[in-house]
Amino acid sequence: MVKDVEHLGGLNKKQREAALHAKGPLLIVAGAGAGKTKTITHRIVNLIKEGIPPEKILAVTFTNKAAKEMRERIIAEIKKNTHGAQEQEKFPFVSTFHSLGVYIIKENARILGLTKYFTILDESDSVSIIKEAQKEIGIDPKQYDPKKIKNIISREKGKFTHLEDYAELEGNETNPLAKITARVWSLYEKKKAKENSLDFDDLLLKAVKLLKDNPEIRKIYQEKWEYIHIDEYQDTNEVQYLMSKILSENHKNICVVGDADQNIYSWRGANLKNILSFEKDYPDAKIVLLEENYRSTKNILEAANTVIKKNKYRPDKNLFTKNKTGEKIGLYEALDENDEADFVAIKILEIADGANREDFPHRGLRRAVGPRTEQIFQQKNRDPDGEESSRFANEFADIALLYRANFQSRALEEAMLRYNIPYQVLGVKFFERKEIKDTLAYLRAALNKDSLSDIKRIINFPARGIGKATLAKMFAGEMESLPVKMRIKINNFYEILEAIKEKMQNSKTSDTIKFVVKKSGIEAEFSAGGEEEMERLENIKELATLALKYDNLPDGRGVEKLLEDASLASDQDSLMINTPHPNLPLGKGEGAEGVQERGNNAVKLMTVHAGKGLEFKYVFVVGLEDGLFPHERNGEEIDNEEERRLFYVALTRAKEKLFLSFANFRTIFGSRQINAPSEFISDIPADLLEREGEKDRIKTIYI
């Protein structure tokens, strides 16, 4: 009897092999654009067609959107391919790891000393409780940042480290922060227990501990789900790894999908060894390589393959595609970041319009392209019936600009505005970033000490121990009623503002920004922090770089002009990003959270990390300079393998055309630096590259 596999008709040979595998552990090594979600979906449908009850199947992924997409695709396929599906009431359990944790904890809340109506704390709630705990045990939050302590606790929980274990180790620690963290952590847990609350990390830690410590409960869930599917397995941390292993312990019917070459979240605790050691954990595991890429051209894929093969810690695979050869990869050598941004903007207009470069004004003209862009918008291609064509409808939306660090968006955003190109920033736009607003608020407050909104924003940043009650009295003109110590703190703050005002009257604008960062304590605050804080400091340094263009204005006008332009740019950003162009139709939503809801037709700007899981027809990867990509920070050792994986992810976002660029000079914190091209560029075979802008190139030097 021939087996009915009609529902697998859309799969290639390897995808079908994975989908038909039913018993025992399965590792699907799925390269970029190889259809991993499609394969998992059809595997689950096949299990159901083989008679496995849907409620016996568990599928776990990382984001709510990914879980929702997988759930919808599974349901659609079930309805299409199973008999009586219209009456189907039971479906596989599809969730994120954290949602799975909530499910297990709620069903066993009493064992953990909780009610099933426990509160899940967000990041700010957790930090607030930690701050309270610090104050109660006499630890100054100004000296030991509550957020930093929270990050340490979170990191340890991700490694399945419990308070008791950490406290025991703490006795042998010479690091005073470890001792303080242990004390704060202890009180933090007591406060949460009293409030019947859990933080985000508890959802996994306590669920796994519950399963490990209670054989009867563990057996319930092992029997409940006989077939386990884990998506993006290369991104699992220790506690997620343990949860997967425990749940699949009895039946061993675990299917994991992932790609070691796309492991780019080690700073979040993702452990590459989890996927690399799968065969060791499950010696009888079947391995299926999904190597056919459906996304990119042959040239793009060859470049990506060549780059990633230089990494040592990876399974051997070689992506291939039946797609067209495609264009060569464009490589642009820019003079500086502004020249690079201009190049990107003009290329975007060429793509959108399908025009030749000569049709556009020369680079270096500050706003010359605005009217030309309007012409692009106004073009109407009509079909024989007279209806407007959608040829142009999503051209901008098909373009992505990828960069290594958030601060790089500033020059690119300016270029988008200068050339009147609609854009969206995935994340927070440059002038809307908190640290930028805080720094500018110091300038405004120094110029106008009556600006209560600015004073309120910065008087306790960095923390100075000036509370809300004190602020209320201060703003009410009741300074004399405050304790002497508090009046001294307030006076010290106003002395900082006075020093900033004096500095801006006698110094260049860029030097004033540097002074603000040091004098206010912002630099010291962020320098002592982790990855996120260092990124914020980089953004502020980029503000100092931006300020260079105001250095030649006399009589302190530079700061005033900077503040004026920042406000206007922010308003303009909002208009460009949030308002659909009247001549552009609305697009359909697709892709990652927050990106592809196309209320307008806009170029997407994002870090490479944020771009993982997305795809675009045209991709620009900018800032390919040593020290920037691969990224070096404060002399820390570069993890070249992870940086190369990140570059690989960037390359494989592109479907049709890929552009790479680097700048010979880049101004960072007001200092002009000479750069060498990234080593990653030389990893790409020369015959796959073509130089952009070699002929008739006009470079603009921004002084």
Side-chain angles (χ1 to χ4, degrees):
M1 183 178 173
V2 180
K3 194 172 186 178
D4 177 18
V5 292
E6 185 180 342
H7 60 292
L8 304 178
L11 305 184
N12 65 35
K13 184 179 177 181
K14 286 293 182 179
Q15 290 171 335
R16 183 177 294 209
E17 184 182 347
L20 287 171
H21 180 272
K23 287 289 183 181
L26 171 65
L27 169 62
I28 303 174
V29 180
K36 63 181 179 63
T37 304
K38 181 179 181 180
T39 304
I40 294 179
T41 300
H42 282 81
R43 183 178 192 271
I44 291 172
V45 172
N46 188 68
L47 288 172
I48 295 170
K49 283 188 70 75
E50 291 290 321
I52 305 299
E55 64 272 22
K56 289 286 187 181
I57 300 171
L58 170 69
V60 187
T61 187
F62 277 81
T63 68
N64 289 320
K65 183 184 181 304
K68 180 175 180 289
E69 182 182 334
M70 187 180 290
R71 189 182 301 112
E72 289 174 351
R73 290 174 70 166
I74 289 170
I75 291 172
E77 288 295 328
I78 289 174
K79 288 183 175 181
K80 188 168 67 175
N81 293 297
T82 58
H83 299 292
Q86 290 75 10
E87 290 78 38
Q88 181 88 43
E89 294 182 356
K90 295 181 178 179
F91 295 99
F93 191 103
V94 184
S95 78
T96 64
F97 273 106
H98 289 92
S99 295
L100 178 59
V102 170
Y103 179 82
I104 293 172
I105 291 170
K106 275 192 173 182
E107 288 198 332
N108 303 277
R110 292 181 63 183
I111 297 174
L112 295 171
L114 299 164
T115 74
K116 66 178 182 178
Y117 302 109
F118 62 86
T119 300
I120 301 173
L121 303 172
D122 63 19
E123 180 75 9
S124 62
D125 291 333
S126 297
V127 171
S128 180
I129 294 174
I130 285 173
K131 191 174 183 179
E132 288 175 14
Q134 286 180 255
K135 289 179 178 178
E136 285 187 27
I137 57 182
I139 296 170
D140 189 355
K142 290 183 287 183
Q143 187 175 0
Y144 295 97
D145 182 15
K147 191 167 184 178
K148 188 172 183 178
I149 291 176
K150 169 66 177 64
N151 290 340
I152 294 172
I153 295 171
S154 180
R155 183 190 67 208
E156 293 299 322
K157 286 182 176 181
K159 295 191 292 189
F160 200 63
T161 304
H162 296 82
L163 171 61
E164 304 79 30
D165 304 323
Y166 188 83
E168 189 177 333
L169 289 170
E170 168 271 326
N172 302 319
E173 274 284 353
T174 57
N175 181 1
L177 182 58
K179 295 179 181 291
I180 287 167
T181 299
R183 292 177 63 197
V184 173
W185 189 350
S186 177
L187 186 53
Y188 173 58
E189 293 300 327
K190 290 175 183 175
K191 284 179 170 292
K192 286 192 296 161
K194 189 176 179 180
E195 294 181 7
N196 191 45
S197 63
L198 300 176
D199 63 30
F200 215 57
D201 301 298
D202 290 330
L203 303 180
L204 297 180
L205 182 76
K206 291 191 177 294
V208 173
K209 192 173 188 309
L210 184 77
L211 296 172
K212 281 180 70 73
D213 295 350
N214 298 275
E216 302 85 3
I217 294 174
R218 181 167 68 244
K219 186 178 179 182
I220 291 171
Y221 294 102
Q222 288 174 340
E223 292 301 318
K224 180 179 181 65
W225 297 304
E226 292 183 14
Y227 291 83
I228 315 293
H229 300 78
I230 310 294
D231 195 14
E232 303 288 3
Y233 195 64
Q234 80 279 348
D235 292 335
T236 53
N237 61 18
E238 186 65 21
V239 70
Q240 290 161 339
Y241 164 80
L242 286 171
M243 179 178 278
S244 309
K245 204 163 188 295
I246 290 170
L247 291 175
S248 62
E249 199 169 47
N250 278 6
H251 298 284
K252 299 289 193 299
N253 295 324
I254 180 170
C255 168
V256 304
V257 186
D259 182 9
D261 293 335
Q262 297 188 70
N263 172 268
I264 58 174
Y265 297 116
S266 64
W267 48 279
R268 289 184 186 170
N271 195 336
L272 184 60
K273 78 172 180 63
N274 293 346
I275 191 167
L276 294 179
S277 62
F278 187 84
E279 292 176 81
K280 184 179 177 181
D281 292 335
Y282 304 94
D284 56 341
K286 180 179 179 64
I287 315 296
V288 178
L289 297 180
L290 300 186
E291 296 179 295
E292 183 173 357
N293 174 285
Y294 292 92
R295 176 184 299 157
S296 306
T297 65
K298 288 177 181 176
N299 281 341
I300 293 171
L301 209 57
E302 185 180 345
N305 282 335
T306 307
V307 166
I308 201 62
K309 281 181 179 178
K310 290 188 176 283
N311 272 7
K312 180 179 177 182
Y313 301 105
R314 62 181 297 271
D316 187 29
K317 72 175 192 302
N318 190 61
L319 290 184
F320 70 93
T321 185
K322 296 175 184 176
N323 293 338
K324 61 185 180 183
T325 302
E327 298 180 51
K328 289 188 176 184
I329 297 165
L331 177 63
Y332 184 71
E333 178 181 354
L335 178 67
D336 57 21
E337 66 269 27
N338 297 300
D339 181 43
E340 180 182 53
D342 279 347
F343 160 74
V344 170
I346 288 179
K347 273 295 173 185
I348 288 170
L349 292 175
E350 290 180 4
I351 291 166
D353 193 38
N356 295 320
R357 186 184 199 135
E358 295 79 42
D359 291 336
F360 296 93
H362 284 301
R363 200 171 320 122
L365 300 178
R366 298 276 180 164
R367 292 200 53 85
V369 190
R372 179 56 178 152
T373 311
E374 286 301 314
Q375 292 175 27
I376 295 172
F377 280 124
Q378 292 165 12
Q379 288 179 358
K380 307 292 186 181
N381 294 329
R382 298 180 177 273
D383 64 22
D385 297 321
E387 295 294 324
E388 290 183 10
S389 170
S390 62
R391 178 191 67 82
F392 185 70
N394 288 315
E395 284 298 334
F396 285 130
D398 285 330
I399 302 169
L401 315 186
L402 305 182
Y403 36 82
R404 178 62 180 85
N406 270 308
F407 78 86
Q408 293 172 259
S409 80
R410 195 272 308 169
L412 295 166
E413 287 185 65
E414 282 196 343
M416 297 301 104
L417 292 166
R418 191 161 58 247
Y419 289 92
N420 205 21
I421 298 171
Y423 72 96
Q424 291 177 321
V425 178
L426 180 56
V428 184
K429 298 184 289 295
F430 184 79
F431 283 109
E432 292 184 5
R433 291 168 188 160
K434 181 182 181 302
E435 59 275 14
I436 301 299
K437 285 186 172 183
D438 289 340
T439 306
L440 295 176
Y442 269 100
L443 296 174
R444 284 193 299 269
L447 289 169
N448 178 18
K449 293 184 177 63
D450 294 325
S451 177
L452 296 185
S453 60
D454 287 314
I455 299 292
K456 186 177 180 181
R457 181 180 187 95
I458 59 174
I459 194 167
N460 227 19
F461 177 74
R464 298 184 174 92
I466 302 172
K468 291 180 180 178
T470 301
L471 281 175
K473 288 186 178 182
M474 188 180 99
F475 292 152
E478 300 173 8
M479 279 280 289
E480 295 302 318
S481 66
L482 295 172
V484 175
K485 286 185 177 180
M486 192 58 66
R487 280 184 282 170
I488 291 172
K489 288 181 179 179
I490 294 170
N491 287 333
N492 289 342
F493 168 74
Y494 277 100
E495 284 176 8
I496 292 172
L497 296 184
E498 195 60 42
I500 292 171
K501 186 176 182 179
E502 185 178 343
K503 183 72 176 179
M504 69 175 67
Q505 290 170 345
N506 301 295
S507 303
K508 295 178 178 178
T509 307
S510 59
D511 290 335
T512 300
I513 298 291
K514 295 176 186 178
F515 182 80
V516 169
V517 178
K518 289 184 181 294
K519 187 70 176 176
S520 65
I522 292 174
E523 185 174 45
E525 174 88 358
F526 287 154
S527 296
E531 180 89 11
E532 185 178 337
E533 286 74 21
M534 293 306 300
E535 192 164 282
R536 288 182 176 181
L537 186 58
E538 284 183 341
N539 289 334
I540 296 175
K541 288 181 177 181
E542 182 64 12
L543 180 64
T545 297
L546 169 65
L548 286 171
K549 67 170 68 176
Y550 303 92
D551 279 354
N552 294 330
L553 292 176
D555 304 324
R557 276 284 299 151
V559 170
E560 294 177 34
K561 183 64 174 162
L562 168 63
L563 291 171
E564 179 185 320
D565 287 355
S567 299
L568 291 173
S570 194
D571 290 342
Q572 199 173 7
D573 288 349
S574 299
L575 290 171
M576 286 291 286
I577 294 167
N578 299 321
T579 306
H581 196 284
N583 293 327
L584 293 176
L586 300 181
K588 295 179 179 179
E590 59 178 273
E593 292 166 297
V595 185
Q596 305 281 23
E597 292 302 320
R598 295 175 177 168
N600 58 21
N601 182 27
V603 174
K604 308 300 186 289
L605 281 69
M606 67 193 80
T607 64
V608 182
H609 282 101
K612 187 174 178 290
L614 300 176
E615 60 181 44
F616 300 88
K617 283 174 71 175
Y618 311 96
V619 171
F620 294 79
V621 185
V622 302
L624 286 168
E625 301 131 34
D626 274 343
L628 185 53
F629 201 171
H631 198 49
E632 183 177 18
R633 185 176 283 150
N634 287 349
E636 295 176 4
E637 187 176 346
I638 301 175
D639 184 348
N640 246 35
E641 292 233 339
E642 180 156 346
E643 289 292 309
R644 186 172 282 106
R645 291 195 295 270
L646 191 60
F647 184 55
Y648 171 81
V649 167
L651 298 181
T652 53
R653 299 313 92 199
K655 294 163 63 176
E656 294 186 10
K657 180 67 178 181
L658 178 65
F659 298 93
L660 311 176
S661 62
F662 66 95
N664 288 310
F665 299 92
R666 189 173 294 274
T667 306
I668 297 177
F669 209 19
S671 299
R672 195 169 174 85
Q673 299 181 1
I674 302 175
N675 303 310
S678 170
E679 63 185 270
F680 297 154
I681 294 175
S682 61
D683 289 343
I684 299 174
D687 63 344
L688 298 179
L689 297 171
E690 62 178 0
R691 290 272 178 173
E692 293 281 347
E694 288 292 305
K695 295 181 180 179
D696 304 321
R697 182 171 67 181
I698 298 177
K699 288 184 174 181
T700 304
I701 302 175
Y702 293 78
I703 301 175

